[in-house]
Amino acid sequence: MERVSYRLESTWQADGGPNGRFTFTLFNLSDAPLAGFKIVYTSLTRVIDQKACENAIFLRRNANFHEFAPPAGLSIAPGKSWTFTVSGLHRPAKHCTDGAKSAYVTLDNGEHIDVAVSDLLLENRVSEPPPVLLPEGKLDLPFALQPWPAEIDAMPGDGFPVVLYPAAGSSADELRAMSTVTSLVRRLFESAHAPFNLQSSPQGRALSFKADPSIAAEGYKLTFAADEITLAYADAAGRQYGLTSLAQLLEGARSEPNTFRFPDAGTISDKPRYGWRGCHLDVSRQFYPAADIKRLIDILAWLKLNIFHWHLTDDEAWRLEIKAYPELTTTGILRGPDEPLLPQLGNGAEPVGGFYSQVDVREIVAHALALSVEVVPEIDIPGHNAATLVALPELNDGQEAPDSYHSVQGYPNNALNPAIPLTYEFLEKVLDEMVELFPSAYIHIGGDEVANGSWLASPLAKKLMEQEGISGTFALQSYFLKHIKDMLNARGRKLAGWNEVAHGGGVAAKDTLLMAWENPEVGIDLARQGYEVVMTPGQAYYLDMVQAEAFQEPGASWAGTVPPEHTYGYEAEGDFPEELKDKMKGVQACIWSEHFLSRGYFNRLVFPRLPAIAEAAWTPKAQKDWHRFAAIVPLSPKL
Ligand code: ACM
């Protein structure tokens, strides 16, 4: 391991600026003096008043990238440090992850050297430690099922069969389904015993399958007896979920026999509460290799979630290979000190990239399909396109004033321009390739967070608006999205998007599914306008949010504090009027990855809240039980 040469430490205090002040101290841990350098750090707490810094010179900022120079002539001797303060922040710091996520120094010769960073500490105030978030839990029935089934009337047995094997006469599809779930268990729990064996075994128990069209879509019924189990199902997903429940029961009884048992009498009759049981992952801000995506899909299948919403593009990178535009996944992914896309969100001196080839995508889609998970891809348009516009500069209106608008994340001029014919040609080609890769009924086109004022300084946009009698950013957004909806419909696909798709006149509600993320009320409003809705409110289902108010609890906090108990208990359809309930298609977890710098961080924030959402998506309200959930969730596999 290489020795760290420099370390940046930081504190925040509430006074010293409208949103407080950071104090940074750079330690020189190398053997040589550090002089003639600049320092860069990335931080989600941005500096918006450039003059408001002391003992340093602000040089530039792009979104989370901040560059400073030390005072002229500064030299830091080995073992010594330099302290500077930065106020003029765009919001106060609330948690230990609100400071610098990464840093590097650039020497006079152009060399970049990583600087280690420490967690943000509070200055002159107590930095509260994180609380315990999960109670010990309590089981009324000793079964390791998660999500908990709709109806269970089963008796715990003594011991458990070594394996379950298919009764004579099982079909090839039924054998394949057992094999698929066995492989899933072996991937998720590498040291676990396989739950199923295709060959009968004297210490095993026979599993007899029964196709039963009277069972609900995705539902199943298990009937237990001491010598045989019956699994009745109507479709492949229901059969898989029945097998998954058996595998969970066995795995629980085997791994924690003092707590969990396997039934030897009674029934489980199960079906999902909602048809859309989703999990989203932002792979733009941080890249997740294909193997991680497959493992996440495995976890979704284990939790009986059925939609993987793959957020493939954003300001920070375009991750999907498009053969017609190779620049998207060369220039459009590479963030580094000397690249057109600057380091962001934890990047340092080394350039970082990562994208999914079309071969990767086909494998991931097939992997998901085999586990009854549909992959819904998202390309986020027209906003959130800083990387696209760097990769394909011809998509810019060259006459638009630079910095004429900024996104909420601080990117200047980052929206695809609806007045440039090439924008549509580009998107036609992208969609042509996407529909070949993704068989999903819906393609998600984003539509979120276009900054008010976007395009108003673009002469091409102004001309189009005059011609079409359009006024304002959101009416122009609506004009653009209507075209996109037509493009999707022409390809036999339906439009999914974030709730702002409805702004400025929106698009036709028919065959449009919108995700209510800003708050729960937005979902009801969309349903009233005729849209189908999936509930993903940040206040309950954004898994990047902090789980407690304590300063030392990591995470984002713009949507508030989201403890696992709140995520579990939240009733997404709670305030929907009866007549609008059929518009509410389900619920979804969202994993925005700005803060997600490591696997450990991912697991800490995603679990147990992802299983909590899975149970909210599947289990009837009357069967939800936080303490039972808490007793079972430690068994959940993690990434
Ligand atoms: C979003 O969180 N911008 C959908």
Side-chain angles (χ1 to χ4, degrees):
M1 198 181 76
E2 243 176 90
R3 200 176 80 181
V4 166
S5 295
Y6 311 107
R7 177 170 288 278
L8 184 68
E9 299 201 331
S10 51
T11 57
W12 179 81
Q13 60 167 296
D15 46 16
N19 288 310
R21 183 181 79 185
F22 282 137
T23 300
F24 290 106
T25 304
L26 177 66
F27 288 86
N28 181 0
L29 305 175
S30 76
D31 298 326
L34 176 62
F37 68 96
K38 292 181 267 193
I39 182 159
V40 165
Y41 68 80
T42 67
S43 172
L44 280 144
T45 311
R46 302 193 301 272
V47 174
I48 49 171
D49 178 358
Q50 313 189 352
K51 297 181 292 302
C53 72
E54 280 176 34
N55 205 30
I57 302 146
F58 176 96
L59 297 176
R60 59 183 171 144
R61 179 178 67 75
N62 172 255
N64 306 285
F65 169 101
H66 297 73
E67 188 172 46
F68 294 85
L74 180 93
S75 175
I76 313 173
K80 299 293 182 202
S81 63
W82 157 55
T83 294
F84 63 104
T85 62
V86 177
S87 48
L89 305 175
H90 86 298
R91 64 180 177 204
K94 291 192 175 158
H95 295 275
C96 57
T97 40
D98 285 337
K101 294 205 165 305
S102 58
Y104 62 89
V105 291
T106 301
L107 305 182
D108 269 351
N109 64 6
E111 191 188 351
H112 309 289
I113 304 172
D114 273 320
V115 173
V117 296
S118 300
D119 273 344
L120 183 65
L121 297 179
L122 278 177
E123 200 171 316
N124 304 327
R125 258 179 48 208
V126 177
S127 158
E128 296 289 342
V132 172
L133 294 165
L134 196 66
E136 202 173 299
K138 183 174 171 305
L139 289 170
D140 292 333
L141 284 171
F143 299 129
L145 291 165
Q146 200 153 71
W148 194 253
E151 286 176 46
I152 178 162
D153 180 13
M155 296 294 295
D158 295 325
F160 49 85
V162 172
V163 285
L164 306 181
Y165 60 84
S170 300
S171 71
D173 277 348
E174 288 159 349
L175 299 189
R176 274 185 214 113
M178 285 184 95
S179 169
T180 297
V181 175
T182 300
S183 299
L184 174 67
V185 173
R186 296 305 288 270
R187 291 194 300 273
L188 288 176
F189 305 93
E190 285 173 351
S191 66
H193 193 287
F196 308 131
N197 208 48
L198 299 184
Q199 188 70 264
S200 67
S201 155
Q203 287 177 289
R205 198 167 296 168
L207 173 64
S208 137
F209 290 93
K210 193 170 132 211
D212 178 351
S214 73
I215 287 182
E218 302 185 273
Y220 64 92
K221 179 169 182 184
L222 288 166
T223 307
F224 295 89
D227 57 347
E228 194 181 63
I229 298 164
T230 306
L231 166 53
Y233 64 92
D235 56 24
R239 180 176 59 207
Q240 178 193 313
Y241 295 146
L243 289 168
T244 304
S245 290
L246 289 170
Q248 290 188 347
L249 287 164
L250 269 178
E251 174 57 19
R254 221 188 300 262
S255 62
E256 296 202 19
N258 293 333
T259 310
F260 298 108
R261 312 270 283 279
F262 191 80
D264 68 358
T267 58
I268 295 175
S269 290
D270 204 7
K271 63 174 186 189
R273 183 172 178 188
Y274 298 116
W276 187 290
R277 304 182 303 281
C279 176
H280 145 292
L281 179 67
D282 164 10
V283 297
S284 174
R285 276 58 178 267
Q286 312 293 344
F287 179 68
Y288 293 82
D292 285 356
I293 302 294
K294 288 184 190 161
R295 183 166 174 90
L296 179 62
I297 288 168
D298 284 347
I299 293 168
L300 304 192
W302 186 247
L303 297 171
K304 303 190 174 96
L305 292 163
N306 65 348
I307 300 284
F308 173 53
H309 169 173
W310 200 1
H311 183 82
L312 285 158
T313 72
D314 214 303
D315 290 304
E316 288 80 359
W318 177 293
R319 304 288 188 191
L320 173 65
E321 181 188 22
I322 298 293
K323 305 258 190 214
Y325 296 100
E327 307 88 330
L328 290 169
T329 46
T330 52
T331 312
I333 55 165
L334 203 58
R335 303 199 294 254
D338 299 315
E339 305 300 334
L341 296 176
L342 290 169
Q344 303 284 351
L345 301 167
N347 303 146
E350 283 303 311
V352 293
F355 69 99
Y356 306 99
S357 71
Q358 296 200 353
V359 172
D360 292 333
V361 170
R362 284 182 205 282
E363 277 180 22
I364 287 167
V365 169
H367 183 90
L369 195 64
L371 294 168
S372 308
V373 175
E374 182 166 76
V375 178
V376 174
E378 176 183 352
I379 50 158
D380 197 352
I381 57 173
H384 287 279
N385 271 278
T388 319
L389 292 168
V390 165
L392 301 172
E394 61 272 29
L395 293 177
N396 292 283
D397 175 353
Q399 302 304 310
E400 181 177 64
D403 288 306
S404 64
Y405 60 90
H406 288 90
S407 72
V408 66
Q409 287 81 10
Y411 282 96
N413 296 20
N414 70 336
L416 296 183
N417 192 319
I420 298 181
L422 214 52
T423 299
Y424 301 95
E425 187 184 315
F426 164 66
L427 291 170
E428 296 268 11
K429 287 187 180 159
V430 168
L431 290 176
D432 279 341
E433 295 192 30
M434 286 180 78
V435 296
E436 289 299 315
L437 294 169
F438 299 99
S440 58
Y442 288 96
I443 299 223
H444 197 297
I445 52 73
D448 60 320
E449 294 185 318
V450 169
N452 198 0
S454 296
W455 307 309
L456 302 184
S458 151
L460 290 173
K462 279 200 232 171
K463 187 158 160 239
L464 175 70
M465 290 165 86
E466 258 167 45
Q467 269 170 11
E468 299 286 330
I470 293 170
S471 93
T473 293
F474 297 111
L476 186 53
Q477 169 180 300
S478 160
Y479 167 92
F480 170 80
L481 290 175
K482 283 176 179 146
H483 279 269
I484 303 303
K485 182 168 163 82
D486 288 345
M487 284 184 198
L488 287 169
N489 293 163
R491 289 163 176 80
R493 304 307 176 94
K494 296 192 273 192
L495 184 148
W498 300 107
N499 57 241
E500 300 98 311
V501 166
H503 286 184
V507 302
K510 184 172 171 338
D511 288 341
T512 298
L513 178 97
L514 300 184
M515 294 181 171
W517 68 274
E518 288 182 275
N519 57 59
E521 295 72 37
V522 155
I524 298 171
D525 221 47
L526 293 172
R528 203 165 273 127
Q529 293 173 56
Y531 295 106
E532 297 196 321
V533 179
V534 166
M535 295 297 283
T536 69
Q539 296 75 10
Y541 288 170
Y542 268 28
L543 303 188
D544 54 327
M545 290 300 131
V546 275
Q547 303 180 78
E549 286 187 4
F551 191 82
Q552 289 173 38
E553 184 70 30
S557 53
W558 61 261
T561 301
V562 184
E565 185 174 2
H566 175 65
T567 301
Y568 183 82
Y570 173 68
E571 273 294 308
E573 79 179 45
D575 292 329
F576 269 74
E578 209 47 48
E579 73 276 12
L580 295 179
K581 281 196 171 145
D582 70 320
K583 293 276 181 214
M584 205 285 248
K585 297 298 166 191
V587 299
Q588 180 170 293
C590 289
I591 307 174
W592 294 102
S593 59
E594 286 96 331
H595 285 275
F596 285 57
L597 302 194
S598 70
R599 186 171 300 260
Y601 186 97
F602 183 103
N603 284 332
R604 176 170 175 166
L605 274 85
V606 171
F607 300 94
R609 292 185 294 183
L610 179 62
I613 296 170
E615 191 148 306
W618 182 278
T619 307
K621 181 179 175 190
Q623 315 312 332
K624 281 166 78 176
D625 175 342
W626 165 244
H627 287 278
R628 179 198 62 221
F629 172 83
I632 300 171
V633 80
L635 296 176
S636 178
K638 295 184 175 180
L639 196 68

